[in-house]
Amino acid sequence: MAVASDTRLEDYLSDKFQTIADFKQIDSLLETVSLQKQQLDDQLKAARTKLEESKKFADENASRILDDAKLFERQQNDVNKRIMLVTSSSSVDEATKRLAGPMEKLRKVELAAQYIELLKEINNLVSDARSHLPGYPVEALKPYDQLKQLAITLRQKQVNAEGAGVHLINHVEQTTARLWTEMNKIMVDEFQAELTKSKWPSVKADPSREWRNCFEKLLELQYPELGSAREPLVLLPIGLLAKPFIQNFKYQFMSNKPTSHSKHLGDYYLEWVIVQITGLEDYLRNDVAPSLAGYFRNTHFASNTLYVDPVSAFITALLPILKEKTLNVVEAISQDAALLSRFVAQLLKFDETIRSQFKYDAGDVDDGWRGLVWDVLDTNFDRFLEVEKSFAFDRYEEIIKSPNSGLIDHDSARPGKTKWTHGAYQITDLLSTVTETYQKLPHAHFKERFLLEVQLEIVNRYQGRLIESLVVYRTITSGIGRAVHGITSEQRAKLEGVGGLDSLCRVYGSANHIVEKMKDWGKLDFFLTLFLDLSKRAQNSPRHSDFVGLMSFNEVKDATSDSLGTDSDEAGSIFDKLIASYKKELLEPVTELLIDAFKYNFPTIFRPYISRAQWTTVGDVDDSVTISSELDHPIKILQEQLNYLASVLAFLPFRRIWRVAYDSLEDLLWREVLMRQNFTALGAARFSHDIKALQSVVDRACHVYRPTGGADLEMDRLQEGAMVLTLPLTDETGGPSLSNEESVQLLNLRFITKQDVSRIIRSRIETSTDFGADE
């Protein structure tokens, strides 16, 4: 230890005296060390003094505790002796046992005394509350609130007391309830006297000053209750105003009168309520509204229509009896599907009238009033859905079986627009009716089930029906189908020419009508909101098996849209899947079949023209040149088919179909006539006339779409070929008029090549040897 101290001292001195100049500071260093030593001595002395004082205090405290213990022991022995003496016992334990009974009695006496004091306090609060009525209801509420709070406190403390004091707590709660009933009765009787005095409701006179005072005092009495209410309350004064109407309602619709019978559903009582409210509306708004508005001004109820709008408050007062009557009717008709459906429709109409005509929202600005129908559908929705589903599907079958269901309604759209069938129109009308039925339902879940289980199911069934029509068409028109299924010649004949086009256009027009309707519906606020609600629920809740009804999330997504439940920036529609399916399964296949109906029929109807027409006839070329006689029949057929197609299809599908078909006809005539036959000048002129005649048929058919212009449907390649074919091939000297290269350049030919020009010119019999080397 000494070595360590010497080492530290040596380090300290080495640090302070590193140079000769540092020794000049030795005096100040010694003074600093002396001062520090003095401070340490003072601290040590103070610590020793405190230690001595602490030891002294501890000794004194220990002595005092010992004295107290001895005193307690003496007192305990003295008490024991007294107890033994009083109880004539030989031991302390025996004395304690003998005192247990008297002590318990003493405890009960003290408890009873506390009970009596509490009961006195309760009675005082009751008396105090009564003393302020009917003049000062606000003052009466103060002792009532104390009594109510006492009941709440006792009930809370009972839990920790293991259920003790049951009778006392029940007494306090019952006294509180009786006091409230009594306070209400006093105030109600006062206002009722004023109403009787004013002969309400027979006479709707201006409210008197006493009337208004009683009205406001009832509001003052009820105000604390309004703040703690979880559901809308009937205002006491409004309830008294509604009382005669409620009594009349019971007499008219809940008694033995014929109007009370459930078979009448809501025919009488719902209309009666609307008439009564309408008749009172002006009085309520003009005479009652100022009292409500004045009282609730500057309170947090000032924006709640249930309390500031007298009409809404009056409707709230009538709702309990209306609900009771409604549930009685439902119970009586629950087994009759037709009556249940009709009654729900009546309730929906009634609820909508209350909302729209009287602006009733039950105090809920965001979600609004759920309506009477909520209480019915809350427990009867599945039954109601099955009823409506049965009605809708039965109506669907009626439409399908209707004789004109599959016939095109030529008056369904203006010229130039795609026509639909009578059945398609009736189907969309049925779907609109279903929408009207369920769009007013009070819960989004109800609407979603109607959409998925009724509306989309009808659309799917109709799609299946149209697909079956295509299957039948393919079977009859295909060789394999005719061979396998034994198709008769009569069946096949019905699908030839315009008959086949009509069969396909029925499917196309029907499918197109459904698609266009679904596109329009998907943009409506109702369906947009429904889709957004589904998407939000899919994002915020587990995608369990019963996402909508018994359908899982994936099933709902497959039935509606791939964007359901995603954060995609592209706005989806609830009908996306159906629209895509109709296009893929119906519109696109029908378009292809219509194209094929033309393409595969051209070789047959143009066979005489291709094989029999005389192109090498020699004669003068003048204005008397006519079209080939072999073209008369094809033109007639083509004109008939094109005119029909233009009468039932819009321009875009018509152009899409005929553009491809026209190209195939152009290829046929180019290949089989222009490239294969030889022509004289007369034959060339006749062929050119033939092409113009064909083009005029197309132009006339397109006139319905574009009366002032063409439809950009031309056989450009064939027309340029005919132009080259009819060129004068010799000049005045008898030599060639144009070389092939010059022809292409000067005629500005865009659709045929130099080789085509050479080949066409060589087909002219007069000059075939002159241009043989130019190819």
Side-chain angles (χ1 to χ4, degrees), residues 733-760:
T733 63
S737 176
L738 295 171
S739 67
N740 293 340
E741 183 176 353
E742 290 173 336
S743 299
V744 175
Q745 293 176 351
L746 295 180
L747 294 177
N748 193 26
L749 302 176
R750 295 183 300 151
F751 299 98
I752 61 177
T753 64
K754 180 179 178 180
Q755 289 74 17
D756 291 334
V757 171
S758 176
R759 188 170 181 178
I760 291 170

Side-chain angles (χ1 to χ4, degrees), residues 449-461:
R449 290 193 61 186
F450 254 93
L451 171 75
L452 294 168
E453 298 182 32
V454 182
Q455 210 163 22
L456 299 192
E457 177 62 22
I458 291 174
V459 178
N460 284 325
R461 289 189 182 190

Side-chain angles (χ1 to χ4, degrees), residues 315-331:
I315 292 173
T316 303
L318 295 180
L319 285 180
I321 194 66
L322 279 173
K323 180 179 178 181
E324 182 181 351
K325 170 64 179 177
T326 299
L327 294 180
N328 289 342
V329 173
V330 171
E331 184 179 359

Side-chain angles (χ1 to χ4, degrees), residues 522-587:
K523 299 174 184 177
L524 297 178
D525 289 341
F526 171 71
F527 288 107
L528 287 173
T529 302
L530 204 59
F531 183 70
L532 290 175
D533 289 342
L534 278 172
S535 290
K536 288 180 180 178
R537 194 162 79 252
Q539 293 174 2
N540 300 329
S541 63
R543 299 176 178 182
H544 41 68
S545 59
D546 54 347
F547 182 67
V548 176
L550 298 177
M551 297 179 67
S552 67
F553 167 77
N554 289 331
E555 289 174 328
V556 174
K557 185 176 181 179
D558 291 340
T560 55
S561 173
D562 286 333
S563 62
L564 182 69
T566 66
D567 295 326
S568 174
D569 293 334
E570 297 182 3
S573 165
I574 207 163
F575 300 107
D576 281 349
K577 284 285 190 176
L578 280 175
I579 292 173
S581 178
Y582 262 69
K583 288 181 178 180
K584 180 179 179 181
E585 302 294 333
L586 289 170
L587 294 181

Side-chain angles (χ1 to χ4, degrees), residues 661-676:
Y662 208 22
D663 287 345
S664 70
L665 177 59
E666 182 181 33
D667 290 341
L668 176 67
L669 298 180
W670 176 277
R671 184 179 65 254
E672 299 297 332
V673 179
L674 187 58
M675 292 291 105
R676 181 169 293 184

Side-chain angles (χ1 to χ4, degrees), residues 331 370 385 387 419 452 518 648 736:
E331 184 179 359
R370 296 186 299 186
L385 178 62
V387 171
K419 310 297 190 297
L452 294 168
M518 288 191 291
V648 297

